[in-house]
Amino acid sequence: MNRREFGQGVLVGVPGLLGSSFVGASRAEEDKPPLRNSPEGEVYLEPAKKLPVHRFDVVIAGGGTAGVVAALAAAAQGANTALIETKGYTGGTVTEGGTALHSFYNLWKAFPGVEKRQVVKGFAQKIIDRLLQVGGCTGHAEMEKGFDYDSVCTAIDTELYKLVTLEMLAEAGVSLYLNTTVVAAIREGSRIQGVITESRAGREAFFAHSFVDCTAYGDVAAYAGAAFTEPNDYAVCNSIGLANVDVEKYYEFLQSHDALTQLARGIRSGKPDQIVRLEGTLVRLPEEFRREAAAIGLSTVTTTVHDNYFMFLKINLRLPVSPTNRDAVTAAEIELRRRQLRAVELFRKFVPGCEKAFIARTAPRLNIRRARCIRCDYDIPREDILEARHFEDEVFVYGFHDMAPRYKIKNGGTYGFPYRALLVKGLDNLWCAGMMITSDFVAHMSTRNTVCCMGQGQAAGTAAALCALKGYHSRNLPYALLRETLEKDDVIFVS
Ligand SMILES: Cc1cc2nc3c(=O)[nH]c(=O)nc-3n(C[C@H](O)[C@H](O)[C@H](O)COP(=O)(O)OP(=O)(O)OC[C@H]3O[C@@H](n4cnc5c(N)ncnc54)[C@H](O)[C@@H]3O)c2cc1C
């Protein structure tokens, strides 16, 4: 294609430029860089490129909480699977944002007489098993205090989580593309043919039968033209890992102010029955601590897998606009890092044993609780969750709500997660999994949690693989086949 042909092609998709003189331009104009004025300001007409093509059965975009599990599940069915992740490691927000993995269990402790049941297993539990082997997890530690919020605390070593999941993906035969970002979708009618990526290898195209969007932001769905909203109804956050601290002394500090609200004991530095989770109520803490913590959005909850380390301290910030706004996020990144220093100074000053604490880990960029909310065939309402409803197309069950004790799943039970909630509306071969689904805020406060995202990942990855290998349309995949496959891979179905 010569430059004139390229210019004609680009002009079709840029209505604001149709009045420009690009078509039929003089030779002198052709030699200039393709800069033009448009109603949006000055624009550059990017030359078309020939992109190398990779072909797979299944492409998973985003190797975070849901994406890792989706890729493991797809590969387990024998699908030729690619996982494309923009960062240099896997794990996403589970390694960057939260304190513990909520939750593998029902909320039995809050309901006297209700039986303790592990309700999520599958690949999520396999990751925990591997972490336990290398000293990277507390185990499912029972909550001694605050158990009307969650009955267990499953905390992880964030760095070992990255390594363990990378190893599991490699062993499963998943083709990993790290430091590679999905930047566009190639859509024909109601199917996605491919996604376009950028990395230091240049721009590339990944074609597949099935795609799973696990980018948290719903990038693939949005680029493919799916409907979405941007509610901007949560704070963003950049959590820190605080080292050179004394876990027992933090416990005593909270106790001395009669402020302790959460406590769990589990495996820490290889020893059982150690404190692994603590939270205090700010209202009982010294006035200066309370005011400064509130000012910087600092939460007192922390978990740990190591003796002298607080694995996560959350520092929150409300954005004026949705976190898809690059410029607002840039300002927030700077402000959050200022707040991180103020948080360390607060701990150094007030909490015994933390006098020489320092920041050992931050997230590489701020974390979101949600940005885009992608429209799917079914939008889970809060009633389904709170009333513990089950469905004929459910693909796993779940029993945690992040607003407990105010909102709990009825009778300490579970709700079923419907398959149709994973199908992106209007697209035939795109599933999504993770924080990007469920528009009702109260319902989202359950579905966005890590273990639920992992359950969604397993279901979406499995379905995507079965459709690719057996030629089913996503909406005609026989439920009996999907369920049998999920059960084979240790997914539990209990009510
Ligand atoms: C501050 C905070 C605290 C939380 N606390 C808890 C808690 O204590 N317990 C709990 O259970 N849950 C908690 N949550 C919720 C939970 O951690 C998240 O909702 C969940 O981890 C989201 O999983 P995900 O797979 O949707 O997204 P992620 O885990 O973020 O995965 C998305 C992945 O996609 C990648 N990606 C994004 N865009 C692209 C692209 N265009 N191309 C390629 N890759 C891309 C990202 O790098 C990332 O790895 C918390 C969340 C936050 C933000």
Side-chain angles (χ1 to χ4, degrees), residues 112-362:
V114 167
E115 189 193 350
K116 173 182 180 180
R117 284 178 305 168
Q118 180 162 0
V119 300
V120 177
K121 281 190 178 167
F123 287 102
Q125 180 60 43
K126 289 187 203 315
I127 294 172
I128 297 299
D129 293 342
R130 286 286 287 262
L131 278 167
L132 281 165
Q133 285 169 18
V134 294
C137 184
T138 57
H140 300 306
E142 283 198 22
M143 296 283 283
E144 292 176 22
K145 208 171 169 64
F147 49 73
D148 48 358
Y149 169 65
D150 196 351
S151 293
V152 292
C153 165
T154 310
I156 52 147
D157 180 312
T158 59
E159 306 316 300
L160 290 177
Y161 194 99
K162 296 169 187 172
L163 175 63
V164 158
T165 50
L166 285 169
E167 285 180 342
M168 289 174 77
L169 290 160
E171 288 161 18
V174 173
S175 296
L176 261 179
Y177 298 88
L178 297 180
N179 301 307
T180 304
T181 308
V182 174
V183 295
I186 304 164
R187 175 176 174 167
E188 275 181 34
S190 55
R191 285 190 77 80
I192 295 186
Q193 300 296 339
V195 291
I196 296 176
T197 62
E198 280 183 0
S199 70
R200 290 201 175 80
R203 273 170 88 87
E204 296 167 284
F206 287 75
F207 281 69
H209 183 282
S210 302
F211 294 84
V212 187
D213 187 343
C214 297
T215 61
Y217 286 78
D219 283 356
V220 178
Y223 298 156
F228 61 85
T229 55
E230 296 191 59
N232 191 30
D233 48 3
Y234 286 93
V236 296
C237 180
N238 194 320
S239 297
I240 54 177
L242 205 62
N244 220 9
V245 298
D246 189 316
V247 179
E248 269 68 33
K249 285 190 177 161
Y250 185 37
Y251 167 75
E252 285 160 19
F253 168 76
L254 295 174
Q255 282 284 55
S256 67
H257 291 91
D258 195 21
L260 187 71
T261 48
Q262 288 189 21
L263 171 67
R265 288 176 216 268
I267 304 167
R268 196 182 82 203
S269 290
K271 299 181 294 283
D273 300 324
Q274 306 298 306
I275 295 172
V276 293
R277 184 181 181 96
L278 288 170
E279 186 200 50
T281 175
L282 275 181
V283 289
R284 298 245 168 88
L285 294 178
E287 174 67 9
E288 189 187 334
F289 187 99
R290 187 186 64 70
R291 260 194 286 114
E292 176 70 348
I296 61 174
L298 172 70
S299 152
T300 58
V301 66
T302 192
T303 50
T304 188
V305 180
H306 300 295
D307 283 346
N308 53 359
Y309 192 39
F310 297 156
M311 194 69 69
F312 282 109
L313 281 173
K314 287 185 249 191
I315 292 138
N316 291 305
L317 175 71
R318 280 310 292 251
L319 288 182
V321 290
S322 167
T324 55
N325 182 306
R326 193 259 328 264
D327 297 337
V329 166
T330 299
E333 297 280 14
I334 300 165
E335 174 57 19
L336 279 166
R337 287 189 187 273
R338 290 194 179 116
R339 292 182 179 202
Q340 289 173 342
L341 179 59
R342 286 168 66 181
V344 189
E345 284 168 346
L346 199 57
F347 267 80
R348 282 186 195 140
K349 184 169 175 185
F350 282 94
V351 183
C354 295
E355 294 80 3
K356 293 187 176 170
F358 62 90
I359 299 173
R361 179 192 59 80
T362 67

Side-chain angles (χ1 to χ4, degrees), residues 459-481:
T462 303
L466 291 176
C467 289
L469 296 173
K470 299 186 186 294
Y472 290 114
H473 184 288
S474 59
R475 289 170 178 83
N476 294 331
L477 176 62
Y479 176 68
L481 173 65

Side-chain angles (χ1 to χ4, degrees), residues 60-68 84-87 89-103 149 177 180-183 197 214-220 223 235-239 277 312 314-316 365-370 398 400 402 433-436 444 447-454 456:
I60 316 278
T65 316
V68 163
I84 302 170
E85 165 57 45
T86 190
K87 295 179 196 141
Y89 57 86
T90 44
T93 306
V94 74
T95 69
E96 296 159 4
T99 48
L101 278 65
H102 299 304
S103 180
Y149 169 65
Y177 298 88
T180 304
T181 308
V182 174
V183 295
T197 62
C214 297
T215 61
Y217 286 78
D219 283 356
V220 178
Y223 298 156
V236 296
C237 180
N238 194 320
S239 297
R277 184 181 181 96
F312 282 109
K314 287 185 249 191
I315 292 138
N316 291 305
R365 58 179 74 152
L366 61 74
N367 291 111
I368 54 163
R369 290 171 170 91
R370 74 167 151 187
Y398 190 61
F400 174 77
D402 203 30
M435 69 170 85
M436 73 188 81
H444 187 254
T447 66
R448 75 182 177 89
N449 288 280
T450 49
V451 181
C452 189
C453 292
M454 294 161 113
Q456 294 169 43

